Amino acid sequence: MDSTLVPAPLALVTGASSGIGLEIATRLAELGHDLVVTAEDEQLSLVADGLTQHGRAVRAVRADLTQAAGVDALVTDVVGTGRPLDVLVLNAGVGAGGAFLDVPLEDDLATIALDVVAPVRLAKALVPAMVARGAGRVLITSSVGALMPGPYYATYAASKAFDLSFAQALRYELRDTGVTVTALLPGPTDTDFFERAGMEDTRVAHGGKDDPADVARQAVEGLLAGDEKVVVRSLRARGQAAAGALLSDGAGAAVQARFVEPLERGPAPER
């Protein structure tokens, strides 16, 4: 059979306009995947044009995944390609930094809508076809911040804890279907996350960060291998993961608070 007639695998990457999502999309394109990329940013079309340099077909779908209508439009577009989805990367996310009582309610609800509700909606809509085919790879971006309570970005840390639990539970349910689910746990990464979350004036924002391209390479390697979990291989990420495994919730909350509290508030009280 002429191998040129075999269609390339198709991957959907959410949150693909920058940061880890863009680097994951780039890596998948380099490995021969056609792409559907989505974000709400105006620059998405430019990003998609750049991704075509890898010789793959790239479809850009601008959508607000905090809204059910945005999720539905994305699903309709993916299904409308008439092609099976081989890889589903649920990466889009946002945070709201600051003391919970100071953060506007709408910011917390937007975090939950994008980080929790959208992945559930997309998985519910797109994973059944993978199971029916008996093949597929799913990546859900969590965070090492999910491993401990997260004062001063409470809804973000809680949302990422949901993502980790959801990924692991779904993986177990699909264990005999040919579809794997991998949780990605990056540490602090050099993206625009801290600026978007209003966390520029924190210790973690001023500290060292991982290269998003390195994070993406590890993520895609684990995703395609069907690994259960990818904890980014850096001292920062591994150290935070180890602390989450060893510390009590109270002690873990104190550790996280030290790094993510607004610096003008002064140090967190001792626990």
Short mmCIF file of all heavy atoms in Angstrom, two decimals, residues 1-7:
data_model
loop_
_atom_site.label_atom_id
_atom_site.label_comp_id
_atom_site.label_asym_id
_atom_site.label_seq_id
_atom_site.Cartn_x
_atom_site.Cartn_y
_atom_site.Cartn_z
N MET A 1 0.84 -1.20 0.00
CA MET A 1 0.00 0.00 0.00
C MET A 1 0.87 1.25 0.00
O MET A 1 1.88 1.32 0.71
CB MET A 1 -0.90 0.00 1.24
CG MET A 1 -1.84 1.20 1.35
SD MET A 1 -2.91 1.06 2.82
CE MET A 1 -3.84 2.55 2.64
N ASP A 2 0.54 2.24 -0.81
CA ASP A 2 1.30 3.48 -0.88
C ASP A 2 1.14 4.25 0.41
O ASP A 2 0.06 4.69 0.76
CB ASP A 2 0.78 4.31 -2.05
CG ASP A 2 1.65 5.55 -2.28
OD1 ASP A 2 2.48 5.87 -1.41
OD2 ASP A 2 1.47 6.20 -3.33
N SER A 3 2.25 4.45 1.16
CA SER A 3 2.17 5.10 2.46
C SER A 3 1.72 6.53 2.34
O SER A 3 1.22 7.12 3.31
CB SER A 3 3.53 5.05 3.18
OG SER A 3 4.52 5.73 2.41
N THR A 4 1.87 7.15 1.14
CA THR A 4 1.45 8.54 0.98
C THR A 4 -0.06 8.68 1.05
O THR A 4 -0.58 9.78 1.21
CB THR A 4 1.95 9.11 -0.35
OG1 THR A 4 1.38 8.36 -1.43
CG2 THR A 4 3.46 9.06 -0.43
N LEU A 5 -0.78 7.56 0.89
CA LEU A 5 -2.23 7.61 0.95
C LEU A 5 -2.76 7.47 2.37
O LEU A 5 -3.95 7.63 2.60
CB LEU A 5 -2.82 6.50 0.07
CG LEU A 5 -2.47 6.56 -1.42
CD1 LEU A 5 -3.09 5.39 -2.15
CD2 LEU A 5 -2.94 7.89 -2.01
N VAL A 6 -1.90 7.15 3.32
CA VAL A 6 -2.32 7.02 4.70
C VAL A 6 -2.41 8.40 5.33
O VAL A 6 -1.42 9.14 5.34
CB VAL A 6 -1.33 6.15 5.50
CG1 VAL A 6 -1.75 6.05 6.95
CG2 VAL A 6 -1.23 4.76 4.88
N PRO A 7 -3.58 8.81 5.82
CA PRO A 7 -3.70 10.16 6.38
C PRO A 7 -2.86 10.31 7.64
O PRO A 7 -2.65 9.36 8.39
CB PRO A 7 -5.20 10.29 6.68
CG PRO A 7 -5.68 8.88 6.84
CD PRO A 7 -4.85 8.07 5.90
#
